Amino acid sequence: MAVVITVGGIDRTDKVKLFSLKIRNIITRKRDLCSFEIVTYSGDSYKPILGQDIIITDSGTKIFAGVITGLESRPYGYNIIRHTVSCQDYTRLLDRKLVPDTFTNQTVNSIIADLKTRYFPNDITIANVDALVKIKYVAFNYMPLAKCLDQLADM
């Protein structure tokens, strides 16, 4: 098993205590979570930063991708700092936009395509969306984008 942990685009696997790595992949619409510990020593200037991208692969297969949402740093021993890192998947990026739109007589695919064009971050894809269900009417009253997608899924 070759686990690789990339923080901010740089391989930091050697700094992570691998037995501290925990990934919660939740199949429902809840966010996937990840946590791990990074240990730095005297003279090492590296420290993880809130908001940095995290990508974790196992033998080349991506098993988690998201951003750092929590960071706690504390002394662990002489000249040793332990950084406890908490992450959420990229769903968090969808909550930065509020949607004030209504749609009438459109398929879920076309609604999501419109939302992507106007609200999605550029690096989020809708490649696996395939819902031809026609929606008679839906209104998003300044709802976070992730909630809009949840509402469409319910319909």
Side-chain angles (χ1 to χ4, degrees):
M1 178 163 110
V3 173
V4 176
I5 301 168
T6 306
V7 181
I10 299 171
D11 183 349
R12 301 289 184 182
T13 308
D14 62 331
K15 297 194 178 303
V16 175
K17 294 182 72 176
L18 285 181
F19 291 109
S20 71
L21 178 63
K22 294 181 181 97
I23 297 174
R24 284 188 39 202
N25 288 324
I26 304 169
I27 297 175
T28 64
R29 50 180 93 142
K30 294 195 184 238
R31 297 167 191 222
D32 291 345
L33 303 173
C34 172
S35 65
F36 54 88
E37 292 181 353
I38 289 180
V39 176
T40 56
Y41 299 91
S42 176
D44 187 352
S45 62
Y46 174 70
K47 179 181 175 186
I49 301 169
L50 289 172
Q52 277 186 311
D53 285 334
I54 300 290
I55 297 175
I56 302 172
T57 58
D58 182 3
S59 301
T61 301
K62 191 182 296 185
I63 58 174
F64 181 85
V67 294
I68 296 176
T69 56
L71 179 63
E72 181 182 324
S73 300
R74 62 188 181 278
Y76 182 60
Y78 180 72
N79 289 328
I80 302 171
I81 304 289
R82 179 185 285 175
H83 308 279
T84 303
V85 180
S86 303
C87 310
Q88 289 183 7
D89 67 15
Y90 286 125
T91 305
R92 180 177 179 85
L93 300 178
L94 298 178
D95 288 340
R96 294 192 288 183
K97 300 279 185 161
L98 298 178
V99 179
D101 296 327
T102 60
F103 298 90
T104 305
N105 293 321
Q106 293 187 43
T107 64
V108 171
N109 280 356
S110 64
I111 293 170
I112 291 175
D114 185 66
L115 293 173
K116 175 169 181 20
T117 301
R118 295 190 290 141
Y119 302 108
F120 278 40
N122 290 334
D123 53 350
I124 293 182
T125 178
I126 59 170
N128 294 319
V129 174
D130 189 23
L132 298 175
V133 175
K134 194 168 201 169
I135 304 294
K136 289 185 180 186
Y137 176 82
V138 64
F140 304 124
N141 189 17
Y142 292 92
M143 291 174 60
L145 188 52
K147 294 270 188 221
C148 297
L149 297 175
D150 287 345
Q151 187 173 336
L152 289 171
D154 287 340
M155 297 174 104

